[in-house]
Amino acid sequence: MTTDPTSAASAIPPGDPAREAAARQVAAWSGRPGAPVVRSFFDPATFTATHVVHDPATRQAAVVDSVLDYDPASGRTGHDSAAAVLAYLRAEGLEVAWQLETHVHADHLSAAPWLQGQVGGALGIGAEIVRVQAVFGKIFNAGTAFARDGSQFDRLFTDGDTFRLGQIDAIALHVPGHTPADMAFVIGDAAFIGDTLFMPDFGTARADFPGGDARTLYRSTRRLLSLPDATRLFLCHDYGGPERPDFAWETTVGAERTGNIHVHDGVDEDSFVAMRTARDATLDLPRLIMPSVQVNMRGGRLPEPESNGTRYIKIPLDTL
């Protein structure tokens, strides 16, 4: 599988030699042919799809974008969603190599640390997590005890980093715009793209969070759509469609290129930016943004207990 050099470079700010070099690496990359097995778990409370991807030859697996149950009314957490993933991993006899996060989610809490404690796997996220930590560390007044260097994670992926899942080659692509730190993980013929694209009838992710940018998001979508048409795309969320009652989280590059209502072939950058900016102005903040970002910027770990032994989520007033 290869990416188109021109399209890959279009997501890179001009004059950034390091990123341009990474774009050339991505363009030249040719993954070893492989079709990993993917099993997805949908959490209707947060509209989140967690994906377990594994190499059928070696049984080595990665968990992408896991969910920790959280009730905002009571402040209680739970592991029912993650336990379903765990049961599948054990039933299939999979060896977990990775717990991958496509970005710092604003709509659900990550269960990666809990799953890591059960079945292992290195916790990975994009290296630009440090930008998100810097911004939200201030918003939540996290204090000097909160490290803003990404050290809560085992691996910080940069654009063009390659790795393997068993015998299947994989590559990490930086696809910012929704947030500064969004990553897509291309594993064989499957790409796990987080919130950058939704199902064709729902369009694209919002770009109005701190550090988000609609123009950058457009370039990232075009980069993803430069992958071969048959590439399977696995999405982090689905909210249904106007004429589609069922939830869905798998599509293809070809289907997105021809049918995505926001970025199908022929939509230019300025038109997309105008549409995305106007649409984002009408959207409410995600219901779980306060607990989600506080926890996920810490690698999915809950805040440390205070002197009374209780953990607390902060709610900054009149800030976001």
Side-chain angles (χ1 to χ4, degrees):
M1 181 185 299
T2 59
T3 55
D4 174 73
T6 302
S7 183
S10 69
I12 309 303
D16 186 336
R19 292 292 309 282
E20 289 172 356
R24 289 192 293 272
Q25 178 186 5
V26 172
W29 179 74
S30 180
R32 180 175 303 184
V37 175
V38 182
R39 170 75 158 85
S40 301
F41 298 80
F42 189 71
D43 175 46
T46 61
F47 304 100
T48 303
T50 296
H51 308 291
V52 177
V53 50
H54 79 265
D55 172 18
T58 66
R59 314 298 290 174
Q60 193 172 86
V63 179
V64 185
D65 294 333
S66 58
V67 176
L68 179 74
D69 302 321
Y70 178 75
D71 176 26
S74 66
R76 293 190 178 277
T77 61
H79 300 104
D80 287 350
S81 296
V85 174
L86 177 63
Y88 171 78
L89 292 168
R90 289 176 169 166
E92 293 295 315
L94 301 180
E95 173 197 358
V96 179
W98 294 100
Q99 303 282 345
L100 298 175
E101 298 288 342
T102 55
H103 62 294
V104 173
H105 307 279
D107 38 32
H108 71 274
L109 283 66
S110 171
W114 184 80
L115 282 168
Q116 191 177 43
Q118 303 294 319
V119 290
L123 177 57
I125 199 168
E128 293 298 312
I129 177 63
V130 297
R131 292 181 56 190
V132 176
Q133 289 176 329
V135 170
F136 283 97
K138 292 179 181 178
I139 289 174
F140 291 113
N141 196 29
T144 57
F146 170 56
R148 294 159 170 82
D149 58 3
S151 57
Q152 300 87 348
F153 299 84
D154 301 312
R155 171 76 179 268
L156 300 181
F157 288 94
T158 60
D159 192 49
D161 277 353
T162 57
F163 62 105
R164 300 183 75 187
L165 188 67
Q167 298 176 359
I168 300 176
D169 287 347
I171 191 168
L173 305 181
H174 186 211
V175 286
H178 174 58
T179 80
D182 282 66
M183 299 298 290
F185 299 101
V186 185
I187 303 173
D189 73 342
F192 302 85
I193 63 173
D195 289 7
T196 306
L197 290 166
F198 294 136
M199 292 299 291
D201 59 354
F202 204 86
T204 57
R206 65 194 298 166
D208 60 332
F209 293 152
D213 180 78
R215 196 166 297 278
T216 303
L217 177 63
Y218 176 85
R219 296 174 183 179
S220 292
T221 64
R222 298 315 303 175
R223 186 182 196 189
L224 289 173
L225 297 182
S226 73
L227 294 167
D229 281 357
T231 304
R232 296 179 288 162
L233 300 180
F234 291 90
L235 319 178
C236 187
H237 296 289
D238 186 47
Y239 305 95
E243 299 179 1
R244 175 172 53 84
D246 298 326
F247 295 114
W249 44 82
E250 180 182 351
T251 180
T252 66
V253 166
E256 293 282 3
R257 289 184 60 182
T258 59
N260 188 288
I261 60 172
H262 293 167
V263 288
H264 58 78
D265 287 351
V267 175
D268 66 82
E269 185 173 315
D270 289 340
S271 297
F272 174 82
V273 170
M275 177 282 301
R276 190 68 264 171
T277 302
R279 179 172 171 79
D280 287 349
T282 70
L283 300 177
D284 294 330
L285 287 175
R287 183 174 64 101
L288 296 183
I289 186 170
M290 298 299 184
S292 295
V293 175
Q294 271 176 91
V295 169
N296 295 337
M297 71 181 187
R298 293 178 166 88
R301 296 171 183 84
L302 300 175
E304 289 298 316
E306 297 193 5
S307 58
N308 62 354
T310 301
R311 304 175 191 270
Y312 291 89
I313 294 291
K314 290 183 178 180
I315 307 294
L317 301 179
D318 304 317
T319 300
L320 295 178

